[in-house]
Amino acid sequence: MKKLFPFTLITSLLILLLASCSKKQTLPEKPALIQPQPVTENYFGKEITDPYRNIENLKDSNVVNWIKAEADYARAIIDDIPGRQELINKMVEFDARVSSKVSSLHITENDIYFYLKMTPQDETGKLYYRNGFEGDEIFLFDPTKYDTLSDKKYVISTLSSTDSGDKIIIGVAADGSEATDLLVLDVKNKTFLPDKLENLLFPIASWLPDGSGFLYNRGISADVHNVNRQINTKAHLHKMNEDFTKDKEIFSREKYPNLGIKPEDIPAVLYDKDSKYLYGMILSVDNRQFVYYAPVSELENDKINWKLLFDKDDEVYNFNATDKDLYIYTPKNAPNFQIIKTTLVNPNLQNAEVVIPEDKSKILTGFVLTSDALYYTMSQNGIQEKVYKRSNSNGVVTELELPFKAGTAYISNKGYKYSDFWINISGWSSNSKRYRYNNATNDFKMETLSDVAEYPEFENIVVEELMIPSHDGAMVPLSLIYNKDLKKDGNNPVFMWGYGAYGISMNPSFSPTQLLFTTKGGILAVAHVRGGGELGEAWHKGGFKTTKQNTWKDLIACAEYLNKENYTNPKKMAIWSGSAGGILIGRAITERPDLFAAAIPEVGSMNPLRMEQSPNGPVNVPEFGTVKDSVECMALIEMDSYLHLKKDEKYPAMLITAGMNDPRVIAWEPAKFAARMLEYNASDKPDLFLTDFSAGHGIGDTKTKQFESTADALSFSLWQTGHPEFQVK
């Protein structure tokens, strides 16, 4: 194990001394309940009363003052939990073991590496570059210096370089709002060019082939509470050194009313250097791509002659283009996914060549093209990933022997004309490492830009992968991580999480901060519930709209299994998830409040019936449904945790969080749930509602904020599951 830097060691000791010498704070009085103002509406013959509709007005001073009072109260209670500061101190110590962490790596065709690097002294990543992996590192930009006249905390949210690497677009966003300013940096001279775009909602920037301009999407408002902020956004072309107010509109519902772009869709245009085509993409949360294309020369015309490439019925989830072919990743007629190939000029998906067929026992999870081979990944139950190559010369498929067993394998390349191929592999108990693969010698060379630390605290960690029968007999993958000396005496604290939406898988990853729970005798449990993608597209659709109830019933089945098999008991189980995972947590505790000791829905979607009335709601209709359809509306009511709370029910201890700058789940969703929980909960357990007024959805949080929020969740769970080191007196 590497020694701590002396400065960091002294700082850590001072933190410990100050924490131990500080006086116990005086806790504020519990805030008064906010007064309900019920609204009753009829949904296809079903009357629904919404008691806290008034909370949706986040400009109402009464609402804001109540949220602030609850936040102050929750913050004081959580800060008073013994052991919380110890967890933070340990996270700081872990961080100090790594001299630098690298993320957002982008490699140009001429081998320029752009990346974000964070040291133990940094709160967020700074931009650097180098010529080749062995090149000297050169500093470019520190986002904390972007606006020194305000108290906002900026982070780099996006990067996009020209093919030559002479210019790079840097997106910066403040306080979790994700409202992004795009800056253009001259790399050689380290100077910003006058081209600056402010408060973009979707910072998708794509350079033209000669670097003379770039394509981007523009919305009408950066206000995260503006219900129309994402309606009728437009894709534009910006030419360098020109006034951005005169940027040319090139892809939008208004300019192209016959292309099927809905008001809530996000039109984006990307230029692909390999095929030399523009791709007009109509984006939403629907994984099925809706794409038009046109030669890049069409940009010279007033209106582009867009030609349909894929619509939703084609079920294209991803594609790669060469100069003449399209390689398509699809679950159509292959729920576990396959890769097919067709021509670029005259695509014909119905008669496309099957390049990688569906595997009935594993899920095809991704692919890249190189000059040597097509590389792809296959996952078993979402928890073990393998890498294969299909030779371009003879079509033979072989499995690569990885440096170590991979829970997750992320593959990347430089382009189909180059042999460069990299793989990042990690697991629940294995730190992430990056390797370059040499096709000629069939071996791997580690090319990890990040420092790799040792964690002897977790050398006795074991991972148990199980398949648990759910309410309908479906077998649900369940991952358990704990110390090998743990006894199955029914008395172990459990911290369980899942997600279950958008076909996103809970892939194995190494997190020293979360693994701290195991050092307290606890079990980390990951329930790979339906709605995710661990078992293919059928698994996603099994927790989707009208089948959404399977998502929380799968979690309940996993919790019941842990109780039955004597891992734990209901007084020892805490559950956590965020965002769309709020549905998972909220409905699990409203259906089975007796099964859990604590629940933490973090910036969670707790009121899906009203989601469409929020800025980010309409774009989520493809995943959850719409109130405009009678069947989907009933499904929204069924998945709505806020509406399922019952008066005088004894619910678990609750830590409900929100971000006032959240552009994804508006703060009034968790606020309404918290208000009703505070009114209805008959148990003597704490109900805490913690809103961060300088944060959003968690994306773009500083390092300290990440440590604090993780410590909040872990310490609250250990408190409520009875760990003696975390009991509030």
Side-chain angles (χ1 to χ4, degrees):
M1 182 180 71
K2 296 185 177 181
K3 293 182 179 179
L4 294 174
F5 296 113
F7 175 80
T8 309
L9 178 59
I10 293 169
T11 302
S12 298
L13 288 172
L14 283 172
I15 291 171
L16 286 167
L17 286 170
L18 289 170
S20 62
C21 296
S22 61
K23 295 181 180 179
K24 184 178 177 69
Q25 63 180 318
T26 302
L27 298 180
E29 290 186 11
K30 191 172 184 178
L33 298 177
I34 190 169
Q35 292 301 307
Q37 296 178 20
V39 174
T40 299
E41 293 175 312
N42 190 290
Y43 293 88
F44 298 99
K46 187 177 182 70
E47 279 201 348
I48 298 291
T49 298
D50 183 347
Y52 289 102
R53 180 69 60 85
N54 51 309
I55 291 178
E56 293 183 15
N57 183 3
L58 294 175
K59 294 182 179 179
D60 184 335
S61 59
N62 291 325
V63 172
V64 174
N65 290 338
W66 170 74
I67 293 175
K68 285 181 176 178
E70 287 291 344
D72 290 344
Y73 178 75
R75 184 75 273 158
I77 295 293
I78 294 168
D79 287 351
D80 198 48
I81 300 174
R84 175 182 176 274
Q85 187 60 50
E86 178 197 336
L87 293 176
I88 294 175
N89 294 343
K90 194 66 177 177
M91 293 174 194
V92 171
E93 181 193 329
F94 284 164
D95 188 60
R97 295 180 191 178
V98 182
S99 61
S100 64
K101 296 177 184 177
V102 167
S103 62
S104 302
L105 174 64
H106 170 70
I107 304 173
T108 66
E109 286 190 352
N110 57 348
D111 217 32
I112 296 177
Y113 283 53
F114 290 101
Y115 53 91
L116 302 183
K117 187 179 82 169
M118 189 161 57
T119 71
Q121 290 74 40
D122 295 324
E123 279 294 317
T124 187
K126 300 174 183 177
L127 177 62
Y128 293 81
Y129 83 106
R130 61 174 70 186
N131 288 306
F133 178 73
E134 302 289 348
D136 293 333
E137 183 175 80
I138 301 171
F139 168 76
L140 285 177
F141 176 67
D142 179 357
T144 65
K145 308 296 184 185
Y146 174 60
D147 183 2
T148 57
L149 298 180
S150 77
D151 58 357
K152 293 181 178 179
K153 292 181 171 60
Y154 284 87
V155 301
I156 295 175
S157 57
T158 188
L159 297 171
S160 179
S161 79
T162 57
D163 290 339
S164 65
D166 65 325
K167 295 187 288 289
I168 186 167
I169 292 171
I170 305 169
V172 292
D175 295 339
S177 67
E178 300 178 49
T180 301
D181 293 353
L182 289 187
L183 319 172
V184 183
L185 184 71
D186 180 312
V187 173
K188 181 179 179 180
N189 298 314
K190 299 184 186 179
T191 57
F192 282 104
L193 301 176
D195 307 82
K196 177 181 176 181
L197 303 173
E198 296 183 336
N199 290 324
L200 300 185
L201 308 186
F202 309 107
I204 305 169
S206 179
W207 284 99
L208 296 183
D210 58 359
S212 63
F214 57 87
L215 309 155
Y216 70 96
N217 178 284
R218 184 192 299 168
I220 65 169
S221 172
D223 180 4
V224 297
H225 299 152
N226 184 333
V227 71
N228 294 315
R229 72 188 297 262
Q230 294 180 195
I231 299 299
N232 291 320
T233 66
K234 302 174 180 180
H236 291 78
L237 167 63
H238 175 72
K239 300 302 289 281
M240 298 300 295
N241 301 313
E242 293 186 5
D243 184 351
F244 77 88
T245 62
K246 299 179 182 179
D247 286 351
K248 183 178 178 180
E249 183 180 327
I250 60 170
F251 194 54
S252 68
R253 180 172 180 262
E254 181 178 339
K255 190 163 186 174
Y256 299 96
N258 298 323
L259 295 188
I261 304 174
K262 299 176 183 177
E264 64 270 20
D265 288 333
I266 304 164
V269 179
L270 303 178
Y271 169 70
D272 176 63
K273 65 180 182 298
D274 292 326
S275 62
K276 296 181 174 55
Y277 273 89
L278 300 170
Y279 294 92
M281 311 185 78
I282 303 173
L283 304 176
S284 72
V285 301
D286 195 332
N287 293 324
R288 299 172 301 166
Q289 297 197 359
F290 192 178
V291 183
Y292 290 86
Y293 71 145
V296 68
S297 58
E298 287 278 342
L299 282 176
E300 302 301 320
N301 301 330
D302 179 58
K303 293 193 76 172
I304 294 172
N305 182 28
W306 291 110
K307 180 182 177 181
L308 181 66
L309 183 59
F310 312 124
D311 63 21
K312 297 292 178 68
D313 290 339
D314 291 321
E315 295 187 45
V316 173
Y317 280 49
N318 197 5
F319 69 96
N320 280 329
T322 68
D323 58 346
K324 60 181 180 180
D325 292 316
L326 289 169
Y327 289 79
I328 295 164
Y329 174 71
T330 175
K332 191 165 188 176
N333 302 317
N336 287 358
F337 290 91
Q338 64 180 349
I339 298 172
I340 59 175
K341 174 184 173 184
T342 187
T343 62
L344 179 64
V345 177
N346 295 301
N348 184 334
L349 273 65
Q350 285 70 36
N351 296 307
E353 174 191 352
V354 177
V355 179
I356 305 297
E358 177 192 27
D359 188 309
K360 298 297 183 181
S361 63
K362 295 186 288 292
I363 311 301
L364 200 162
T365 50
F367 76 102
V368 297
L369 305 172
T370 73
S371 60
D372 300 317
L374 183 156
Y375 295 91
Y376 62 98
T377 50
M378 303 284 286
S379 178
Q380 184 76 43
N381 297 335
I383 48 87
Q384 182 181 357
E385 210 151 25
K386 296 182 178 181
V387 182
Y388 301 83
K389 72 175 179 181
R390 179 186 184 274
S391 172
N392 290 343
S393 60
N394 57 23
V396 174
V397 173
T398 56
E399 180 183 343
L400 300 186
E401 186 176 344
L402 302 179
F404 62 89
K405 183 178 178 180
T408 300
Y410 173 74
I411 57 178
S412 59
N413 66 335
K414 190 188 289 187
Y416 84 97
K417 298 177 182 178
Y418 304 89
S419 62
D420 304 78
F421 171 68
W422 295 271
I423 177 171
N424 284 70
I425 52 180
S426 62
W428 299 121
S429 57
S430 304
N431 208 346
S432 177
K433 293 182 177 67
R434 179 174 178 268
Y435 297 87
R436 176 192 286 270
Y437 175 72
N438 187 317
N439 182 66
T441 59
N442 192 33
D443 61 8
F444 289 91
K445 177 184 178 183
M446 193 161 82
E447 286 192 358
T448 299
L449 288 171
S450 297
D451 185 24
V452 179
E454 298 293 331
Y455 298 92
E457 294 88 347
F458 309 127
E459 63 184 10
N460 291 323
I461 291 297
V462 295
V463 178
E464 191 175 0
E465 302 290 0
L466 304 169
M467 297 295 287
I468 308 304
S470 192
H471 69 106
D472 58 355
M475 300 301 290
V476 181
L478 175 64
S479 302
L480 302 179
I481 306 106
Y482 53 84
N483 191 287
K484 68 178 183 180
D485 296 325
L486 179 135
K487 294 181 174 60
K488 295 180 184 177
D489 59 4
N491 204 37
N492 301 299
V494 169
F495 187 78
M496 178 185 286
W497 74 89
Y499 189 64
Y502 308 114
I504 295 173
S505 300
M506 297 283 94
N507 295 322
S509 62
F510 183 73
S511 172
T513 56
Q514 288 187 326
L515 284 170
L516 282 172
F517 195 80
T518 66
T519 67
K520 302 300 178 182
I523 300 171
L524 293 175
V526 186
H528 303 275
V529 299
R530 275 174 281 188
E534 286 88 343
L535 298 179
E537 185 56 15
W539 199 247
H540 172 212
K541 291 299 193 291
F544 171 89
K545 291 187 178 179
T546 57
T547 61
K548 190 64 183 171
Q549 61 181 330
N550 289 326
T551 299
W552 63 84
K553 289 182 183 295
D554 287 350
L555 181 76
I556 289 170
C558 289
E560 289 176 329
Y561 175 87
L562 293 178
N563 291 332
K564 178 184 175 183
E565 297 300 317
N566 228 28
Y567 287 90
T568 190
N569 69 74
K571 294 181 179 180
K572 295 288 185 177
M573 185 171 297
I575 53 174
W576 168 89
S577 190
S579 192
I583 297 172
L584 172 71
I585 300 304
R587 286 298 281 117
I589 62 112
T590 49
E591 187 159 307
R592 288 293 307 276
D594 60 306
L595 198 53
F596 309 103
I600 308 167
E602 187 173 328
V603 292
S605 179
M606 315 306 291
N607 188 199
L609 184 66
R610 293 286 295 167
M611 187 188 300
E612 284 173 87
Q613 303 306 311
S614 70
N616 198 44
V619 76
N620 275 283
V621 164
E623 178 71 19
F624 302 108
T626 176
V627 295
K628 299 173 185 176
D629 178 276
S630 60
V631 175
E632 292 182 357
C633 181
M634 295 303 112
L636 285 166
I637 292 171
E638 178 62 21
M639 71 180 77
D640 195 304
S641 308
Y642 167 69
L643 296 178
H644 279 81
L645 288 170
K646 298 177 182 178
K647 195 171 183 62
D648 296 327
E649 180 67 77
K650 291 185 177 181
Y651 290 106
M654 300 294 303
L655 174 55
I656 305 155
T657 77
M660 194 54 79
N661 300 330
D662 195 335
R664 299 177 183 245
V665 176
I666 196 164
W668 54 250
E669 276 205 64
K672 289 172 69 177
F673 178 82
R676 203 170 195 183
M677 176 64 75
L678 286 162
E679 179 188 356
Y680 281 6
N681 196 352
S683 79
D684 57 359
K685 296 183 177 182
D687 295 319
L688 304 181
F689 176 40
L690 179 62
T691 301
D692 193 328
F693 280 75
S694 61
H697 204 62
I699 298 169
D701 281 352
T702 62
K703 180 168 62 181
T704 294
K705 194 177 287 290
Q706 291 172 4
F707 289 169
E708 290 175 346
S709 62
T710 302
D712 289 349
L714 295 182
S715 61
F716 184 79
S717 299
L718 288 164
W719 171 26
Q720 293 304 312
T721 55
H723 195 288
E725 296 175 20
F726 292 81
Q727 297 312 297
V728 175
K729 297 179 181 179

